[in-house]
């Protein structure tokens, strides 16, 4: 790529950056938690349509994805699960194709009084944009879009097909990205600007979600014997699960990408519910668990170990022995994924292109990292033979309070993305 083109792309990103921040503010003001993504997706479809992309907007149909590898079970209906894809078709078809993927769903904001300002009324202060989803990952949705805008401002378009994806369900199943695959969207590489501080993610964990249901006979507290309380019965089960977590994290089980991490796999009891009345012994309790898996660890083997651990702990409990817990899967069945294990020439080329783009913008070498969460990259890497590069801006307190994204970092990522697209796809005159 010529020095002149690099300079022009950077100038185009700078010229549009105030608009990009306004766009990010508007997008972040849509409270697109699970089931409430529609208005944000309407906004994305409008913006993509106004730029001339061919729009595909559809509701996820479980029948089309249920049988596919990577599918995660869901409890609720999918009436509000709508994906949006904007397609650029290259005139020449000479260049390599690219998927620019981002998720529109955000996690719940939690108690509003823990925020310094309302989570869905984004504000900019001291170079940061605050708001739920601003970092994870609406900033990335804007860097993908405004990088393409920068090419257009230079009178250019990618010389390969580009599929701009705004997907739902990343935070609970990944079925949004899976539905894009099922619909036929494939490319030579994928870029996902999740907010990992301008580092390239070489490995990500798998995640499994499950619920444990406990129940027994209700009684008045005055007659309760020991061990008949469904809420207290959860405690030894949780302890047994933490012992399993400890075993899974043992040094001998860690793949190379995680060898240096003592505790990459976290078991989180994220929700608990149970009982009906303070003076009634609780007859039921349900708790929700998230557990991490290493890349290469089998989901089926993990599930059967989890089931054995819970049943064995229940056998040792007088109350549970007669009324064994039930395990319900209702979300992530996500395998781990390691770009580091992709030995293809295409993966090497894509990583080199991103290395160059990052270095041109920052002057630094692109740092590699292994993350202790999952992303939608697994669908491209594991099930579509497509190297998936996760590289996005710096954010803080994602999934926490006062979530924020660093706007200088967003500007750099947008520039690096524009250069990556121009390099990877090549360019054609508009
Ligand atoms: Zn995310």
């Amino acid at each position: 790529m010529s020095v002149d083109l690099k300079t022009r792309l950077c100038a185009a990103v700078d010229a549009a950056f105030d608009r990009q921040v306004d766009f990010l503010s508007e997008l972040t003001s849509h409270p697109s938690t699970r089931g409430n993504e529609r208005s944000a997706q309407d906004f994305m479809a409008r913006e993509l349509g106004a730029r001339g992309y061919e729009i595909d907007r559809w509701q996820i149909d479980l029948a089309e994805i249920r049988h596919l590898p990577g599918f995660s079970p869901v409890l609720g209906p999918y009436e509000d699960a709508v994906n949006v894809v904007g397609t650029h078709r290259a005139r020449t078809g000479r260049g390599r194709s690219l998927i620019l993927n981002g998720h529109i769903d955000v996690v719940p904001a939690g108690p509003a009084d823990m925020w310094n300002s309302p989570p869905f009324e984004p504000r900019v202060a001291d170079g940061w944009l605050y708001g739920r989803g601003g970092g994870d990952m609406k900033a990335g949705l804007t860097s993908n879009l405004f990088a393409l805008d920068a090419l257009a401002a230079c009178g250019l378009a990618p010389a390969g097909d580009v599929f701009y994806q705004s997907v739902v369900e990343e935070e609970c199943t990944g079925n949004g990205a899976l539905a894009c695959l099922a619909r036929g969207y494939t490319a030579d590489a994928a870029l996902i600007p999740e907010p990992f501080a301008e580092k390239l993610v070489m490995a990500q964990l798998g995640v499994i979600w499950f619920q444990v249901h406990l129940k027994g006979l209700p009684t008045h507290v005055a007659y309760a014997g020991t061990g008949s309380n469904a809420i207290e019965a959860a405690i030894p089960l949780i302890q047994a699960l933490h012992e399993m977590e400890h075993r899974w994290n043992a040094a001998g089980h860690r793949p190379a990408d995680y060898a240096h991490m003592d505790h990459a796999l976290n078991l989180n009891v994220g929700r608990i519910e149970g009982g009906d009345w303070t003076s009634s012994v609780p007859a039921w309790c349900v708790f929700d668990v998230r557990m991490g898996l290493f890349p290469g660890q089998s989901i089926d083997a993990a599930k059967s170990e989890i089931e054995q651990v819970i049943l064995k702990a229940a056998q040792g409990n007088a109350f549970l022995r007669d009324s064994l817990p039930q395990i319900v899967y209702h979300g992530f069945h996500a395998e781990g994924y390691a770009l580091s294990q992709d030995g293809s020439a295409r993966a090497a080329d894509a990583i080199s292109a991103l290395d160059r783009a990052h270095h041109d913008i920052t002057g630094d070498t692109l740092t590699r990292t292994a993350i202790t969460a999952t992303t939608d990259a697994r669908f491209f890497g594991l099930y579509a033979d497509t190297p998936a590069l996760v590289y996005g801006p710096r954010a803080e307190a994602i999934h926490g309070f006062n979530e924020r994204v660093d706007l200088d970092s967003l500007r750099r990522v947008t520039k690096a993305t524009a250069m990556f697209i121009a390099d990877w796809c090549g360019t054609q005159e508009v």
Side-chain angles (χ1 to χ4, degrees):
M1 201 190 327
S2 70
V3 174
D4 173 57
L5 178 54
K6 289 177 191 172
T7 309
R8 284 159 62 212
L9 286 173
C10 286
V13 170
D14 284 332
F17 196 68
D18 287 347
R19 267 187 290 129
Q20 185 176 346
V21 174
D22 289 345
F23 185 109
L24 175 57
S25 290
E26 170 146 12
L27 190 55
T28 306
S29 74
H30 292 271
S32 52
T33 49
R34 177 66 200 94
N36 302 302
E37 302 93 337
R38 190 171 288 265
S39 71
Q41 289 294 57
D42 286 345
F43 174 71
M44 289 305 307
R46 249 192 336 268
E47 290 287 336
L48 287 161
R51 286 163 168 81
Y53 297 101
E54 178 190 315
I55 303 299
D56 185 11
R57 189 179 191 287
W58 77 99
Q59 186 189 322
I60 300 176
D61 182 350
L62 281 176
E64 283 172 7
I65 59 172
R66 200 191 297 278
H67 58 288
L68 295 175
F71 174 74
S72 289
V74 278
L75 292 181
Y78 259 175
E79 277 144 26
D80 269 317
V82 171
N83 278 336
V84 172
V85 175
T87 295
H88 156 76
R89 296 266 172 219
R91 205 175 49 241
T92 63
R94 269 200 315 265
R96 286 179 289 211
S97 57
L98 180 64
I99 287 168
L100 296 170
N101 172 283
H103 66 84
I104 198 83
D105 56 316
V106 303
V107 296
D113 62 2
M114 301 286 284
W115 287 74
N116 293 340
S117 58
F120 296 110
E121 291 173 25
R123 68 188 166 91
V124 173
D126 303 325
W128 297 83
L129 181 136
Y130 289 79
R132 167 60 82 234
D136 184 13
M137 63 167 284
K138 289 173 172 174
L141 284 164
T142 76
S143 60
N144 280 345
L145 187 61
F146 282 76
L148 289 167
D149 285 359
L151 266 75
C154 296
L156 298 171
D161 293 345
V162 173
F163 307 102
Y164 180 100
Q165 303 182 338
S166 174
V167 302
V168 294
E169 287 280 305
E170 191 274 343
E171 297 286 5
C172 49
T173 61
N175 289 340
L178 180 61
C180 289
L181 275 190
R183 209 163 168 91
Y185 289 107
T186 56
D188 294 319
L191 176 71
I192 309 182
E194 289 273 16
F196 293 108
E198 301 172 56
K199 294 179 180 137
L200 174 62
V201 175
M202 296 307 283
Q204 63 180 41
L205 295 180
V207 171
I208 186 161
W209 277 14
F210 56 95
Q211 269 180 347
V212 184
H213 291 247
L214 309 177
K215 58 173 187 278
L217 280 178
T219 176
H220 189 284
V221 69
Y223 312 113
T226 52
S228 60
N229 180 311
I231 293 174
E232 292 186 23
I235 296 167
L237 303 194
I238 293 169
Q239 275 165 351
L241 286 167
H242 277 303
E243 283 158 22
M244 178 194 78
E245 173 194 23
H246 191 70
R247 288 195 301 277
W248 287 11
N249 276 297
H253 292 178
R254 296 178 208 154
D257 287 306
Y258 293 93
H260 60 296
M261 289 191 212
D262 288 342
H263 205 284
L265 305 181
N266 291 316
L267 181 130
N268 183 57
V269 180
R271 259 170 58 87
I272 186 160
E273 236 185 316
D276 301 297
W277 186 250
T278 310
S279 287
S280 299
V281 176
W284 64 280
C285 173
V286 179
F287 61 95
D288 287 54
V289 184
R290 174 268 191 207
M291 181 63 202
L293 313 172
F294 284 124
Q297 205 177 335
S298 140
I299 294 265
D300 287 340
K303 281 166 70 174
S304 65
E305 188 168 345
I306 287 166
E307 288 161 19
Q308 278 166 21
V309 162
I310 289 173
L311 290 181
K312 188 164 168 243
Q315 299 286 2
N317 178 287
F319 169 72
L320 291 176
R321 203 178 297 133
D322 300 324
S323 178
L324 289 173
Q326 288 192 319
I327 298 161
V328 175
Y329 297 98
H330 69 108
F332 281 122
H333 263 46
E335 293 183 87
Y337 164 60
L339 178 62
S340 66
Q341 300 304 302
D342 185 338
S344 68
R346 220 154 21 104
D349 286 353
I351 292 170
S352 304
L354 191 61
D355 272 334
R356 283 192 293 277
H358 178 82
H359 184 266
D360 281 343
I361 297 305
T362 63
D364 292 330
T365 307
L366 177 58
T367 305
R368 272 71 167 152
T369 189
I371 59 169
T372 56
T374 184
T375 78
D376 279 340
R378 67 187 183 277
F379 294 99
F380 307 106
L382 296 178
Y383 314 123
D385 200 20
T386 304
L389 277 50
V390 175
Y391 168 82
R394 183 161 77 106
E396 290 180 353
I398 61 170
H399 294 218
F401 304 107
N402 303 316
E403 175 177 349
R404 55 199 170 272
V405 61
D406 178 339
L407 293 174
D408 283 338
S409 175
L410 176 60
R411 185 194 294 255
R412 286 191 296 274
V413 165
T414 307
K415 289 177 180 176
T417 303
M419 288 199 193
F420 174 76
I421 296 168
D423 190 342
W424 179 255
C425 302
T427 54
Q428 63 185 29
E429 304 277 319
V430 173

